[in-house]
Amino acid sequence: MVQHYYRNVHAVVFVYDMTNMASFHSLPSWIEECKQHLLASDIPRILVGNKCDLRSAIQVPTDLAQKFADTHSMPLFETSAKNPNDNDHVEAIFMTLAHKLKSHKPLMLSQPPDDGILLKPEPKPAMTCWC
Ligand SMILES: Nc1nc2c(ncn2[C@@H]2O[C@H](COP(=O)(O)OP(=O)(O)OP(=O)(O)O)[C@@H](O)[C@H]2O)c(=O)[nH]1
């Protein structure tokens, strides 16, 4: 993928199609591509199986996906972008990611300590223009 997609990346969502085993099998190459672009290995990453509403067409069993997620230290979510009543809601998945990002944010030393060390979150960066 084009180099600039990997600039200023703070989190990665790997999505596969639960009804398409080939999409699941392509995950290692996406993970490798992230490594090649020097994305820090500790940035929040999650694995999402989409189209869980198509029950009779599922090709990727949950236990297989869970093993893969465990191997790569990622939480697994199974969802349907089409049917909001199915399994994990897309909003809930992104809320989880937002929480992970918040707790991942590095802390920096703020004041010289007198009787302790005060840590505060890094100041927010200036707005970035994505155009
Ligand atoms: N049943 C179902 N269909 C979905 C879901 N998500 C996407 N689709 C359908 O899958 C088709 C492709 O969706 P796109 O958003 O174009 O995704 P894509 O990655 O470009 O294409 P695919 O690889 O074909 O899934 C569309 O017809 C969507 O309506 C889902 O969760 N459930």
Side-chain angles (χ1 to χ4, degrees):
M1 201 187 273
V2 193
Q3 172 73 35
H4 68 255
Y5 284 122
Y6 290 92
R7 238 182 270 145
N8 299 320
V9 168
H10 297 285
V12 183
V13 181
F14 293 101
V15 183
Y16 63 94
D17 178 346
M18 293 175 70
T19 67
N20 180 346
M21 187 55 98
S23 74
F24 181 73
H25 281 147
S26 69
L27 288 169
S29 68
W30 288 109
I31 291 172
E32 186 53 34
E33 176 152 330
C34 287
K35 267 195 205 143
Q36 302 272 312
H37 285 84
L38 304 175
L39 292 194
S41 56
D42 63 338
I43 63 170
R45 298 174 318 154
I46 61 174
L47 181 61
V48 178
N50 189 33
K51 304 195 186 180
C52 72
D53 55 296
L54 298 176
R55 286 182 182 77
S56 57
I58 299 289
Q59 289 183 4
V60 184
T62 301
D63 56 348
L64 179 65
Q66 189 61 62
K67 260 189 207 144
F68 183 86
D70 292 345
T71 303
H72 294 275
S73 309
M74 291 189 263
L76 168 71
F77 299 90
E78 291 182 337
T79 192
S80 164
K82 202 160 198 175
N83 187 349
N85 296 321
D86 262 296
N87 283 34
D88 302 316
H89 292 192
V90 173
E91 286 89 345
I93 295 171
F94 280 92
M95 282 306 286
T96 304
L97 191 59
H99 280 289
K100 273 174 156 278
L101 270 168
K102 201 164 171 243
S103 55
H104 176 79
K105 217 168 153 51
L107 297 172
M108 69 176 201
L109 205 54
S110 133
Q111 293 285 320
D114 36 28
D115 61 348
I117 293 175
L118 179 64
L119 294 171
K120 70 170 193 183
E122 270 187 338
K124 277 193 187 143
M127 281 293 286
T128 311
C129 176
W130 296 102
C131 48

